[in-house]
Amino acid sequence: MYPIVRLAKEMILQSRAPRLSLFETHVSHHMCWPWDIDMWMELNNGRTLTLYDLGRIGMFIRLGMVRGLKKNRWAGTVAGSSVRYRRRVRMFDRFEMRSRIIGWDARFVYSEQSMWRGGDCTSHVLLRMAITGKDGLVPTETVSQVMLDGAKSPDLPAWVQAWAAADGQRPWPPEM
């Protein structure tokens, strides 16, 4: 089940938080609850992605992008992701989530998020996101003009470009 109460909490908290500049890091704090764990008594990998959703929503609220999406009747969607899990998050562990936009190309916006417990990074996700409208993908140049005052993307880091290129070579639909 989607964590609706957590979503409402994040939306209220982040709507009251100071505005972020476009490439600034959004920081939020969370806890691993009993309903977040798997049979090994640690944060379930699927729930990890759901919690990352909450971090992105908070980031988009603080960037002022949620208003722009609603105004234009656009939506954001995840078009690809790559996650690294490195440390366990156990029941009742508190952790910090960091979320930021890295940049964009002609079609997609790239973002990274990480979870931190103490000084250790527990997981990190790279996301390719798309803005969609009634006619499909909205070009990022249009998004930039309409919602970001014409901002230009910095060059994407080499590791992001390499991931995007490798993922672009995957057959679609899958050859099963």
Side-chain angles (χ1 to χ4, degrees):
M1 174 185 274
Y2 199 83
I4 301 296
V5 172
R6 282 174 160 164
L7 173 62
K9 175 193 143 221
E10 285 302 308
M11 291 178 76
I12 291 167
L13 281 176
Q14 303 316 325
S15 66
R16 296 176 181 167
R19 184 91 188 254
L20 289 175
S21 61
L22 184 55
F23 300 105
E24 198 171 352
T25 301
H26 166 66
V27 177
S28 55
H29 296 90
H30 308 270
M31 178 184 280
C32 180
W33 292 103
W35 43 87
D36 297 331
I37 61 172
D38 60 21
M39 60 191 278
W40 290 278
M41 306 301 284
E42 62 189 48
L43 182 60
N44 175 275
N45 63 318
R47 181 59 89 173
T48 299
L49 293 174
T50 300
L51 294 174
Y52 277 133
D53 277 348
L54 298 180
R56 281 192 310 283
I57 290 167
M59 176 181 69
F60 288 137
I61 289 170
R62 292 187 63 199
L63 289 170
M65 293 179 73
V66 171
R67 277 192 214 128
L69 292 170
K70 286 181 181 181
K71 179 181 175 187
N72 292 285
R73 297 184 178 195
W74 293 341
T77 187
V78 172
S81 63
S82 176
V83 186
R84 277 188 170 173
Y85 299 96
R86 290 294 185 262
R87 300 279 184 267
R88 291 179 171 180
V89 176
R90 297 183 192 241
M91 190 166 34
F92 302 118
D93 280 352
R94 293 180 182 275
F95 57 92
E96 177 180 279
M97 186 184 306
R98 301 174 191 171
S99 309
R100 75 179 187 101
I101 290 177
I102 300 170
W104 54 88
D105 59 23
R107 298 176 63 204
F108 300 110
V109 176
Y110 295 88
S111 176
E112 70 175 324
Q113 294 179 271
S114 54
M115 291 183 183
W116 296 79
R117 189 186 65 245
D120 289 330
C121 183
T122 66
S123 64
H124 178 258
V125 63
L126 169 63
L127 296 134
R128 176 178 54 227
M129 301 174 292
I131 305 299
T132 60
K134 64 179 178 150
D135 298 322
L137 290 184
V138 178
T140 54
E141 185 174 331
T142 303
V143 174
S144 175
Q145 292 301 319
V146 172
M147 291 190 345
L148 306 174
D149 299 323
K152 301 292 182 204
S153 175
D155 290 337
L156 293 170
W159 64 274
V160 174
Q161 292 179 42
W163 174 76
D167 199 57
Q169 294 179 23
R170 286 173 66 181
W172 192 263
E175 299 168 354
M176 300 298 263

